[in-house]
Amino acid sequence: MALRKKLCFDVLGETIGQRFYCSKLDLKKLRPMILKRIENRAKEYPVRNMVPLAEQVLQTRTLLIQGVSTLIQVFPVHACKFCPEVFIGEEGHLIQTCCGYRRRSKNRVHEWVSGGLNDILTPVETFHLHHMFQRVIKHEQRFDFDRVPAVVELCWQAGADPNDENLYSRTQEESVGGVMGAESLSPEELRIIANGTLKAWEMLRSGVERLLLVYPAKVCKDCSEVHVGPSGHKARLCGVFKYESWRGAHFWKKATVDDLVPQKMVWRRRPQDPPVLLNEGRDFYGHAPVVVDLCSQAGAIVPNKYHCMMKSQGLSAPRV
């Protein structure tokens, strides 16, 4: 009896957990069924209940661009000439975190130039699809599709009408400007604008995060390319192998809200810090998303979730 149990265990133990496939399966016969299933799935989109959220995200994005455009007229923005580093203040910091450019040496002091809107709100563009479940874009078709902001493409696929002139005009960054003569605004008016801008920032990220729960988006593992749709495109535009004469294909993974709306962390100067941040005190200084830092300097009330990284009540760096 014991020998019989042992033989059964040895036989079953080798087969459990294995899958057996039929070698006579014809994939050509399955192709029409797969395509029909994709077409039926496309009929479920856009989700009707998500359309108001998509329109709200577009309008919130407009308010965010207007608010940031107004605040940067009052508060100077510095951008590094050789890397994406940004600093908001009268003078750029002296922290040696420049990642360099090509063969430039790393960990050097930044070379600051005047920054603008695109340094605060990093533009993320993607291909504009005619409909969500269309065929995959091939490399030779890359010039047949327009490039639009990724958030705008997500909202369009979520049901926002691309032919609506009111919504469409609000999605163009070049047509959205700040308040003229922002330098003459009172501190109270700046504080109101900053609070509205920070609220729009939080609403934009929250809305995009909710849309991504329903509508798929992809991001390349090796670069920042984003594609809004169930599968990535096949355009060979990945810049990971910079030493090659041609660019490779993307390696896609699921995108998050940080891929479509990057936070862009920056060093933040506190009242207890020196006028110019030094490299020796980098362990004491705080960080914040650049939009949050810009709004806080204008008097906005910062949400509690940012207090830890900002180190508002932290110690100042010891004097050398």
Side-chain angles (χ1 to χ4, degrees):
M1 189 68 180
L3 181 61
R4 183 181 300 175
K5 288 184 177 180
K6 186 176 184 304
L7 291 174
C8 293
F9 177 79
D10 292 339
V11 174
L12 293 176
E14 294 178 356
T15 58
I16 292 177
Q18 298 182 5
R19 294 184 179 181
F20 299 93
Y21 298 93
C22 179
S23 59
K24 297 182 180 180
L25 187 63
D26 190 359
L27 294 178
K28 293 183 179 180
K29 295 181 179 180
L30 289 178
R31 180 178 175 82
M33 183 176 62
I34 295 174
L35 294 176
K36 184 177 180 181
R37 185 176 180 181
I38 294 175
E39 292 178 0
N40 293 335
R41 184 184 177 188
K43 296 177 182 178
E44 301 175 359
Y45 291 90
V47 180
R48 186 174 302 177
N49 293 336
M50 302 296 288
V51 175
L53 177 61
E55 296 177 348
Q56 181 185 8
V57 168
L58 282 182
Q59 296 173 1
T60 303
R61 179 176 176 271
T62 302
L63 296 177
L64 175 63
I65 296 174
Q66 290 177 343
V68 171
S69 301
T70 301
L71 293 177
I72 61 178
Q73 298 179 37
V74 181
F75 300 93
V77 178
H78 300 279
C80 182
K81 187 177 181 180
F82 299 105
C83 74
E85 182 79 9
V86 175
F87 184 75
I88 300 175
E90 295 297 333
E91 298 182 23
H93 61 71
L94 299 178
I95 303 175
Q96 299 176 8
T97 54
C98 184
C99 59
Y101 177 72
R102 292 186 178 178
R103 297 182 180 180
R104 248 177 94 88
S105 60
K106 313 300 180 182
N107 296 328
R108 296 183 51 171
V109 177
H110 298 276
E111 294 188 22
W112 300 107
V113 296
S114 180
L117 178 64
N118 287 341
D119 297 307
I120 304 295
L121 301 175
T122 306
V124 179
E125 293 187 341
T126 184
F127 286 112
H128 174 49
L129 306 182
H130 302 301
H131 54 86
M132 184 176 177
F133 292 96
Q134 71 175 43
R135 293 183 179 273
V136 178
I137 300 175
K138 298 181 179 180
H139 180 69
E140 56 271 15
Q141 297 175 329
R142 63 191 185 278
F143 298 116
D144 298 336
F145 296 86
D146 296 330
R147 299 281 291 183
V148 297
V151 174
V152 176
E153 176 65 17
L154 179 65
C155 294
W156 282 351
Q157 292 191 19
D161 187 5
N163 298 320
D164 190 340
E165 295 182 357
N166 295 327
L167 289 178
Y168 185 77
S169 62
R170 293 171 180 172
T171 61
Q172 304 301 315
E173 293 188 12
E174 59 271 13
S175 65
V176 179
V179 176
M180 300 300 296
E183 298 83 356
S184 61
L185 296 175
S186 64
E188 181 63 22
E189 292 173 332
L190 287 176
R191 186 181 64 82
I192 294 175
I193 294 176
N195 280 320
T197 303
L198 186 56
K199 183 179 179 181
W201 166 258
E202 294 296 327
M203 290 179 61
L204 175 64
R205 287 181 55 84
S206 175
V208 170
E209 189 172 14
R210 291 167 59 188
L211 288 175
L212 289 177
L213 295 175
V214 181
Y215 296 91
K218 305 293 181 180
V219 64
C220 181
K221 273 189 174 183
D222 302 319
C223 69
S224 57
E225 176 71 9
V226 172
H227 182 79
V228 181
S231 60
H233 60 76
K234 294 185 178 181
R236 298 189 297 272
L237 302 173
C238 187
V240 60
F241 303 112
K242 296 182 180 179
Y243 56 86
E244 295 181 348
S245 59
W246 58 276
R247 296 182 181 271
H250 296 285
F251 191 77
W252 300 105
K253 67 176 183 178
K254 184 178 180 180
T256 63
V257 61
D258 289 331
D259 299 314
L260 275 71
V261 189
Q263 294 197 72
K264 199 165 190 178
M265 306 298 294
V266 296
W267 295 95
R268 179 177 181 272
R269 181 184 174 275
R270 306 164 300 175
Q272 62 267 35
D273 293 329
V276 179
L277 301 183
L278 305 176
N279 188 60
E280 293 75 15
R282 57 188 298 176
D283 294 334
F284 294 86
Y285 306 142
H287 293 84
V290 61
V291 175
V292 177
D293 187 22
L294 178 64
C295 295
S296 65
Q297 293 195 24
I301 300 176
V302 179
N304 295 332
K305 63 181 180 180
Y306 297 112
H307 288 179
C308 182
M309 67 174 71
M310 293 172 67
K311 301 181 181 179
S312 301
Q313 305 298 328
L315 298 176
S316 59
R319 296 182 179 179
V320 180

